[in-house]
Amino acid sequence: MRPRTKRERLVAELSSKLPAITEAQVRWGKKHCFPHVAYRCKDEMWCGDCGKIWIDTTGQKDGSIRCPYCGEKLEVKVSRKKKDNSESYLTIATISKDFQVLRHFFIAKYARKERDTHYFIDEVCQQWITADCKETVIAKAMNMGSRGWMHTSDMSIKQNGNIYCPHSYDINGYVYPKVKVLPILHRNGLRTSFHGVTPAILIRALLGESKYAEMLLKTKQYSLLEFYMYRGCLSHPWTVNICNRNGYIVKDGSMYDDYLRLLDYFHLDTHNAHYVCPKNLKKAHDKLLERKRKIEAKERAEADRKARIARMKRMKVDILSFIRKIQPFLGLVIEDDDIVIRPLESITQFYQEGKAMHHCVYQNEYYKRKDCLILTAQKNGERLETVEVNLKTFKIIQSRAVCNKTSEYHNRIISLVNRNMEVIRRAAS
Ligand SMILES: [Zn+2]
């Protein structure tokens, strides 16, 4: 987009006057934006920073080691990897006129075993924010649907997100520690660190978008701040005051939130410093969690037991009513030379028939259905088809072989049952 408004034209002009990235900033980025790894394959190590190899016979498989060439402290990883490409962002926070500016540099490292390491660094995005929380974004073009920047394009005014994905240019880069902030942000507690929060998010919060950011920042509750910035709310905001009064710093915001919810679960007082400021958060959290787990296991077992009893009761009722229903048909046999047709005489037989024939006569509880007689047609003890006869109309509703297909005896079975329908009618009456 071309700059159209007064503000956009001002931002475009100021942006063109920003200094180029300095040597010191690039150096800092190379050091702090990437993990530093030594890859071990057998006795051979290579440095993911400078690409040099050396022999190490200590057998060290983790922990850290210093590269004998570049002197970098490296984390040892066992891997046959021969290249190490990684991408990251370096963010420089600065000011220009009345704007808080976040300059995001894409930085990539291409390391090869036994080769020189190359870096690529390119400014891809700037966020220009004023004290009234208005924001103008200048950025390079992006490939569709990803963070793939088109590095050859020029930076131009962009819309920061849409209604589906607001603030899509909020980049959480590694922030260069020489941070310059607007006086209002300084007043609201922001110094040189963003405490793990995406810079633009924290800046907007401190400019008045959210309630507790300033207080959490000023009282050094950084972990709670990070949690709050990403969750968007605090479930027990009053506990922050209790913590601050007692000089209690929360070390793990998300665990602390879990812990407070556990206190609620056990109806423990979340206004009492004894509970709100546990000496060992993890221990207190785990203890309550274990208690809750035991209670829930008990509740689950009790629910299972009740369901089992109900199931048994239902089964009993079904069996009794089926026995009453099948009584007149017990012993009924229809046969010709080799086909024998008999009613299914118990629910167990329904189960066996359904299982052997892979159909739903048991699952769909045909034994419960009114005016429904189920017969099994067999030859030499082998099941051929299952036949349903309606006891009101004395018509065959269906006759099904394995997997609901029809067998070669289908027509014979149908006509045999039809010829003997009078026998069934007499038994039913
Ligand atoms: Zn090295």
Side-chain angles (χ1 to χ4, degrees):
M1 270 197 316
R2 285 175 159 281
R4 276 182 301 208
T5 62
K6 203 172 142 195
R7 180 188 166 102
E8 285 173 0
R9 276 193 294 273
L10 177 61
V11 166
E13 193 206 322
L14 291 172
S15 171
S16 68
K17 286 182 187 156
L18 286 175
I21 189 168
T22 65
E23 279 293 320
Q25 288 164 337
V26 172
R27 232 180 4 254
W28 188 92
K30 287 178 182 176
K31 188 163 172 60
H32 292 91
C33 294
F34 303 105
H36 303 280
V37 183
Y39 295 101
R40 166 188 286 282
C41 182
K42 293 180 182 154
D43 281 346
E44 203 173 81
M45 291 259 213
W46 73 278
C47 169
D49 268 33
C50 65
K52 301 265 191 327
I53 54 171
W54 71 95
I55 301 295
D56 179 278
T57 50
T58 59
Q60 181 187 352
K61 289 201 169 109
D62 46 19
S64 61
I65 195 169
R66 214 167 265 286
C67 171
Y69 295 96
C70 67
E72 189 58 63
K73 192 178 170 197
L74 308 164
E75 190 195 333
V76 178
K77 271 191 188 156
V78 177
S79 167
R80 297 158 75 95
K81 220 167 159 169
K82 290 199 167 100
K83 54 184 181 181
D84 178 4
N85 296 347
S86 35
E87 296 174 351
S88 187
Y89 287 96
L90 166 64
T91 297
I92 295 173
T94 184
I95 46 178
S96 176
K97 273 211 160 151
D98 298 330
F99 291 93
Q100 177 66 52
V101 189
L102 295 170
R103 305 178 69 184
H104 302 293
F105 293 81
F106 173 85
I107 178 166
K109 181 176 88 168
Y110 308 103
R112 298 273 181 288
K113 191 175 172 180
E114 291 183 277
R115 300 268 176 84
D116 287 342
T117 301
H118 295 283
Y119 289 90
F120 172 76
I121 186 156
D122 183 33
E123 184 165 22
V124 289
C125 173
Q126 293 169 356
Q127 291 174 279
W128 294 69
I129 306 168
T130 33
D132 55 4
C133 219
K134 284 203 180 113
E135 183 175 345
T136 305
V137 172
I138 304 187
K140 290 204 163 174
M142 237 191 268
N143 289 317
M144 290 293 284
S146 69
R147 274 259 187 255
W149 296 97
M150 294 165 76
H151 292 290
T152 48
S153 70
D154 288 327
M155 290 218 280
S156 64
I157 301 275
K158 295 276 189 289
Q159 199 140 22
N160 192 0
N162 50 43
I163 55 164
Y164 304 108
C165 178
H167 305 304
S168 54
Y169 285 95
D170 282 357
I171 294 170
N172 192 8
Y174 291 86
V175 183
Y176 184 64
K178 282 188 184 155
V179 168
K180 284 187 199 149
V181 296
L182 289 177
I184 181 172
L185 289 169
H186 192 271
R187 190 202 73 192
N188 289 354
L190 188 61
R191 297 292 182 267
T192 55
S193 173
F194 289 86
H195 307 289
V197 183
T198 302
I201 293 179
L202 186 58
I203 286 172
R204 279 196 301 268
L206 291 174
L207 290 176
E209 256 189 25
S210 60
K211 246 163 119 186
Y212 303 105
E214 183 184 339
M215 186 250 283
L216 291 171
L217 190 59
K218 284 184 172 168
T219 53
K220 297 190 167 61
Q221 296 285 8
Y222 301 134
S223 182
L224 273 181
L225 175 74
E226 190 183 352
F227 175 77
Y228 170 59
M229 286 289 97
Y230 290 122
R231 186 64 68 85
C233 64
L234 289 175
S235 56
H236 304 68
W238 61 90
T239 57
V240 180
N241 283 330
I242 301 175
C243 289
N244 289 337
R245 268 205 305 277
N246 288 277
Y248 183 83
I249 296 287
V250 175
K251 298 250 172 61
D252 184 331
S254 66
M255 188 191 282
Y256 188 69
D257 185 70
D258 276 351
Y259 170 72
L260 292 176
R261 284 165 200 270
L262 284 166
L263 289 181
D264 278 346
Y265 178 86
F266 288 105
H267 306 293
L268 295 171
D269 186 4
T270 51
H271 290 82
N272 183 336
H274 172 72
Y275 293 117
V276 172
C277 309
K279 271 204 187 79
N280 185 334
L281 173 62
K282 184 165 183 346
K283 220 166 144 186
H285 167 274
D286 290 355
K287 203 170 135 190
L288 288 185
L289 190 65
E290 179 61 19
R291 250 169 79 187
K292 185 178 175 203
R293 200 188 56 74
K294 273 186 189 154
I295 289 173
E296 283 180 344
K298 224 185 218 170
E299 283 170 357
R300 248 193 327 272
E302 179 61 17
D304 283 354
R305 197 181 65 86
K306 279 189 180 147
R308 215 164 39 240
I309 290 171
R311 213 163 42 234
M312 294 292 284
K313 266 191 191 151
R314 260 201 320 276
M315 199 64 181
K316 236 181 218 165
V317 171
D318 288 350
I319 289 172
L320 283 175
S321 77
F322 181 74
I323 289 175
R324 220 171 300 130
K325 208 172 85 175
I326 202 69
Q327 204 65 39
F329 303 99
L330 289 179
L332 179 92
V333 183
I334 299 168
E335 54 191 333
D336 67 359
D337 304 337
D338 46 2
I339 298 178
V340 183
I341 302 175
R342 282 198 183 92
L344 293 176
E345 293 181 347
S346 69
I347 295 180
T348 311
Q349 285 183 8
F350 273 79
Y351 174 77
Q352 288 163 341
E353 182 84 1
K355 198 172 174 202
M357 304 289 272
H358 301 287
H359 57 42
C360 61
V361 72
Y362 175 75
Q363 265 79 20
N364 282 354
E365 303 181 324
Y366 272 74
Y367 50 85
K368 268 189 184 174
R369 296 196 183 184
K370 236 180 120 192
D371 301 323
C372 161
L373 179 68
I374 304 293
L375 306 159
T376 173
Q378 302 185 354
K379 184 187 167 192
N380 300 331
E382 190 190 323
R383 294 171 214 268
L384 300 174
E385 294 201 2
T386 310
V387 187
E388 178 188 355
V389 173
N390 184 286
L391 293 177
K392 232 173 193 162
T393 59
F394 294 97
K395 290 259 174 347
I396 295 170
I397 305 293
Q398 53 182 336
S399 181
R400 307 237 183 226
V402 171
C403 300
N404 288 325
K405 289 178 199 152
T406 47
S407 70
E408 53 179 308
Y409 299 95
H410 184 69
N411 292 337
R412 268 180 68 192
I413 293 168
I414 299 282
S415 76
L416 182 59
V417 174
N418 275 333
R419 263 185 281 131
N420 289 282
M421 202 54 93
E422 200 44 44
V423 183
I424 297 174
R425 191 195 295 271
R426 237 180 294 138
S429 63

